[in-house]
């Protein structure tokens, strides 16, 4: 057992200090990025926001809305779509703004095998998603996928430390997904005691990834547009959103009405609700690590996305960043919470 006493911070613990700027309008800010991925050698240009691969966020309806709005935002389609529906989507809409999502279960691999047999060139972006990216079999799985799909951009996770970020990149990941427990419907920290403050995780993992020519995606913890600005300021290359995109008509989720108001059911993918729906219940060897909530129905996701992009542009104007690429270089974080240091009687 050991204790690390270095300060670790979440988004709520900091604000971004304003700096002198030559910008006169938010309109002047370019919030797109261009990347060349280390392994696939493919390039990406667009607003680096990804809808999470949850079955009430990462939907085909959300992908259609993202495509209509343009700007290169992408959706990680959830892995529970059946094979024929996925094949039809790729045939009709292409792969420009979607990631094909899988876990490491045999059923996921079998469906991917069947998909590639019928459409071998369709997938250009693959999201390999597990709750615990520290397991050696997961690292080996990423390596196997890289060997099998050398030209596909691979995003893999989740992890929260620099050394595992490096290992995943060296084993074939182009983008490493960062975050354990920060999501609004994730209870991993409560159930297991495991986690890492998200802002510090992004800073440390981005530093590790960029040294190897890899990228990171901050996954979880964003509740308001300012949190995205903090994530990008901390060095995130992409930001993945779940809760902020829940409750919209594109979520394909259950709508309930209470006292004349509409709500949508939103749940974590490790919740008992999700496991009852997709796996026949919670396995006897594990516990639910997600919760189910009702969020107010918020209509079209386009309005929320406009708010997010507006907040991001405004953040850039406050620090004088004409491009999103410049935000991390111009970000100075100011701590707004006190570090508690009363453990074991130290004051």
């Amino acid at each position: 057992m050991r204790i690390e006493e270095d300060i670790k911070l979440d988004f709520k613990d900091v604000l971004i200090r304003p700096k002198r700027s030559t910008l006169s309008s938010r309109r002047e800010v370019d919030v797109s990025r261009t990347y060349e991925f280390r392994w696939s050698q493919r390039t990406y240009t667009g607003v680096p926001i990804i809808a999470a691969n949850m079955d009430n966020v990462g939907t085909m309806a959300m992908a259609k809305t993202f495509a209509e709005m343009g700007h290169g935002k992408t959706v990680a389609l959830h892995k529970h779509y059946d094979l024929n529906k996925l094949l039809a989507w790729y045939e009709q809409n292409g792969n420009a703004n979607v990631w094909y999502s899988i876990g490491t279960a045999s059923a996921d691999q079998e469906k991917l095998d069947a998909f590639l047999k019928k459409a071998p060139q369709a997938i250009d972006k693959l999201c390999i998603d597990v709750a615990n990216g520290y397991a050696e079999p997961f690292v080996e799985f990423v390596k196997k996928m890289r060997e099998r799909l050398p030209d596909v951009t691979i995003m893999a996770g989740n992890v929260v430390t620099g050394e595992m970020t490096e290992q995943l990149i060296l084993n074939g990941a182009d983008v490493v997904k960062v975050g354990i427990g920060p999501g609004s419907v994730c209870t991993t920290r409560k159930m297991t005691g495991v986690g890492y403050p998200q802002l510090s995780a992004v800073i440390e993992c981005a530093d590790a990834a960029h040294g190897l020519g890899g990228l990171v995606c901050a996954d979880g913890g964003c509740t308001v547009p300012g949190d995205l600005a903090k994530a990008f300021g901390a060095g995130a290359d992409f930001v993945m959103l779940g809760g902020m995109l829940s409750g919209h008509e594109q979520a394909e989720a259950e709508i309930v009405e209470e006292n004349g108001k509409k709500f949508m059911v939103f749940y974590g993918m490790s919740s008992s609700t999700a496991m009852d729906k997709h796996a026949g219940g919670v396995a006897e060897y594990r516990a639910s690590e997600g919760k189910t909530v009702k969020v107010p129905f918020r209509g079209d996701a386009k309005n929320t996305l406009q708010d997010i992009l507006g907040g991001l542009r405004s953040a850039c104007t406050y620090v004088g960043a004409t491009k999103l690429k410049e935000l991390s270089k111009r970000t100075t974080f100011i701590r707004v919470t006190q570090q508690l240091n009363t453990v074991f009687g130290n004051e």
Side-chain angles (χ1 to χ4, degrees):
M1 184 276 290
R2 63 188 296 267
I3 297 175
E4 290 189 11
E5 297 193 31
D6 293 344
I7 295 172
K8 305 297 179 185
L9 302 169
D10 266 318
F11 294 134
K12 62 180 176 58
D13 296 317
V14 300
L15 290 171
I16 298 172
R17 189 180 75 186
K19 294 181 179 178
R20 188 171 296 172
S21 172
T22 59
L23 292 164
S24 59
S25 170
R26 298 175 181 85
R27 189 180 296 109
E28 300 174 33
V29 176
D30 179 5
V31 290
S32 66
R33 292 295 310 268
T34 296
Y35 300 118
E36 181 176 323
F37 299 111
R38 169 177 168 153
W39 291 101
S40 71
Q41 297 294 299
R42 294 179 182 270
T43 58
Y44 162 86
T45 297
V47 177
I49 294 174
I50 305 174
N53 52 313
M54 308 170 76
D55 68 7
N56 41 28
V57 175
T59 65
M60 293 177 178
M62 190 72 73
K64 288 181 179 179
T65 295
F66 274 32
E68 289 169 3
M69 293 187 71
H71 308 302
K73 298 179 294 297
T74 58
V75 173
L77 294 174
H78 69 78
K79 68 178 185 178
H80 300 291
Y81 281 119
D82 66 38
L83 174 62
N84 291 331
K85 197 163 187 177
L86 284 168
L87 286 166
W89 166 270
Y90 277 87
E91 181 179 356
Q92 295 168 15
N93 302 282
N95 56 23
N97 76 319
V98 294
W99 299 73
Y100 185 108
S101 298
I102 61 170
T104 57
S106 57
D108 295 335
Q109 297 179 57
E110 290 167 5
K111 185 166 70 174
L112 177 62
D113 291 343
F115 185 99
L116 292 173
K117 187 174 182 179
K118 294 188 176 183
Q121 304 300 320
I123 297 173
D124 70 336
K125 295 182 289 295
L126 181 71
C127 175
I128 308 174
D129 179 63
V130 299
N132 179 9
Y134 287 79
E136 197 63 30
F138 174 67
V139 177
E140 289 300 316
F141 185 82
V142 173
K143 183 178 181 180
K144 183 176 73 173
M145 286 295 105
R146 170 53 62 204
E147 292 170 349
R148 181 180 181 185
L149 303 169
D151 301 325
V152 171
T153 300
I154 295 177
M155 175 166 59
N158 282 31
V159 300
V160 290
T161 52
E163 70 274 9
M164 281 306 298
T165 298
E166 291 170 342
Q167 185 169 1
L168 287 172
I169 290 170
L170 293 173
N171 278 271
D174 295 291
V175 186
V176 174
K177 211 143 64 75
V178 176
I180 292 180
S184 60
V185 287
C186 180
T187 60
T188 295
R189 294 178 182 179
K190 290 182 178 179
M191 292 299 296
T192 69
V194 176
Y196 209 97
Q198 184 70 345
L199 180 73
S200 290
V202 171
I203 292 171
E204 295 170 25
C205 292
D207 180 64
H210 296 163
L212 294 174
L215 304 174
V216 298
C217 174
D219 178 18
C222 291
T223 60
V224 292
D227 290 338
L228 278 83
K230 294 174 185 178
F232 285 123
D237 303 291
F238 293 87
V239 174
M240 180 171 277
L241 300 178
M244 288 186 71
L245 295 177
S246 67
H248 295 95
E249 59 189 44
Q250 291 88 345
E252 298 179 358
E254 177 187 358
I255 298 177
V256 296
E257 191 166 331
E258 296 180 357
N259 300 319
K261 297 182 179 180
K262 290 183 178 180
F263 296 85
M264 265 192 169
V265 177
F266 178 52
Y267 48 84
M269 296 311 292
S270 290
S271 66
S272 57
T273 301
M275 286 187 278
D276 287 343
K277 181 176 180 181
H278 300 298
V282 181
E284 61 180 15
Y285 58 84
R286 64 172 298 175
S288 167
E289 292 180 25
K291 61 183 178 180
T292 301
V293 298
K294 296 174 184 175
V295 297
F297 179 66
R298 294 188 281 172
D300 196 334
K302 290 181 180 179
N303 299 323
T304 296
L305 288 166
Q306 291 286 18
D307 285 344
I308 290 170
L309 294 179
L312 194 53
R313 289 191 181 95
S314 189
C316 289
T317 64
Y318 271 110
V319 299
T322 58
K323 299 179 180 179
L324 184 60
K325 180 180 180 180
E326 300 171 4
L327 183 56
S328 64
K329 299 175 183 178
R330 300 188 61 83
T331 292
T332 299
F333 288 119
I334 305 299
R335 282 186 57 206
V336 295
T337 57
Q338 293 297 314
Q339 181 74 7
L340 299 178
N341 193 27
T342 58
V343 181
F344 304 124
N346 296 323
E347 296 185 358

